[in-house]
Amino acid sequence: FLARFLKNRVDFALVVLFAASFASAMYASVYAQEAGFYLFYNRAWEFIAGILTFRLALPLSPAMRQMVAAVALAALLASMWLIDPSKSWPSFAAVWPCLATCLLIKCHEDAGTLTSRLLSLSPMRWFGKISYSLYLWHWPVIVLARDVFTIQASTGPIIPVSVTLTLVLSYLSWRFVETPLRRSRVGSHTTFTAFAAASAMVIAIAVPVIANDGFPSRFPADVIRLANFEGHFDAAGARCLGHAEGATA
């Protein structure tokens, strides 16, 4: 196994990048949680795990493949309830669902496993098709629901409404955006040009926004005063309590 890595430079480079990204992510999960979540190099190990899953072989007997696939599916489902959402992410706990997913995909190459037949059912395949759009749409819908209805998106009738809207938008973007692009015969040069133009547009918009601290002048003056005071609320309260206790004494 190691000899294969030493002979295959691509796989060896992927393992090195995986280790570097994973180490950076674990460090950030303790000392820089926001950077660990948003910066690509701290999340790259998750993508590289998928690449290695595609590239590497999993020499297992049919019986062992059945068992590994079942355990992987159970672990993936259990992670939805057992991982503490209040902890920083991705932390070491992220290894659990990532490894389970990689094993499940690898074992799925053998269509004879029970899990492969389960995941090949039409409803499962439909969710698989729209899964990336589902990933992209779910958070904007949650934020919109929270802001429009001024309540937490995890309460009351907002849950079925948000889920339904997310599914509809995900299907539409898969049907009319993903599928046509996947089937198009646009050359690599055109694709690169379009990607470069879109990236330049995003950068052109992001740079002035970041440089001007998000243009706070777009908010009313009273909102800005409240926002500036929010970070000092505890300290101000402590000073007031201190003065009150001093006066009472």
Side-chain angles (χ1 to χ4, degrees), residues 238-249:
R239 286 198 299 270
C240 290
L241 289 174
H243 289 314
E245 291 174 358
T248 302

Side-chain angles (χ1 to χ4, degrees), residues 15-196:
V15 171
V16 171
L17 291 173
F18 176 91
S21 174
F22 183 77
S24 178
M26 296 306 101
Y27 177 86
S29 69
V30 177
Y31 299 104
Q33 286 85 359
E34 289 190 5
F37 184 84
Y38 288 107
L39 296 184
F40 175 75
Y41 58 81
N42 289 321
R43 307 299 297 270
W45 67 272
E46 298 169 86
F47 293 93
I48 298 173
I51 298 173
L52 291 173
T53 300
F54 173 76
R55 292 181 60 87
L56 302 181
L58 186 64
L60 296 176
S61 65
M64 183 62 69
R65 192 177 292 267
Q66 289 269 18
M67 185 181 69
V68 171
V71 171
L73 180 59
L76 185 60
L77 294 175
S79 68
M80 299 171 60
W81 287 276
L82 299 181
I83 292 179
D84 188 352
S86 65
K87 303 297 183 181
S88 62
W89 189 268
S91 61
F92 192 78
V95 175
W96 177 358
C98 285
L99 179 60
T101 301
C102 290
L103 290 174
L104 195 59
I105 292 173
K106 203 63 181 176
C107 291
H108 187 64
E109 293 176 347
D110 181 6
T113 62
L114 293 175
T115 54
S116 67
R117 290 198 290 269
L118 173 64
L119 296 176
S120 296
L121 295 175
S122 296
M124 298 295 187
R125 295 174 61 188
W126 185 81
F127 276 104
K129 289 177 180 179
I130 69 168
S131 59
Y132 187 67
S133 292
L134 203 64
Y135 162 73
L136 294 177
W137 277 112
H138 82 283
W139 188 243
V141 170
I142 290 174
V143 172
L144 180 64
R146 182 183 61 191
D147 291 345
V148 169
F149 296 100
T150 64
I151 59 175
Q152 291 295 324
S154 59
T155 60
I158 291 302
I159 296 177
V161 173
S162 299
V163 170
T164 302
L165 181 58
T166 301
L167 290 174
V168 171
L169 292 173
S170 300
Y171 172 77
L172 292 176
S173 60
W174 169 79
R175 175 66 179 81
F176 297 106
V177 179
E178 286 188 57
T179 302
L181 286 175
R182 190 180 298 113
R183 294 177 178 176
S184 66
R185 297 183 178 180
V186 178
S188 58
H189 178 73
T190 304
T191 303
F192 176 79
T193 302
F195 177 78

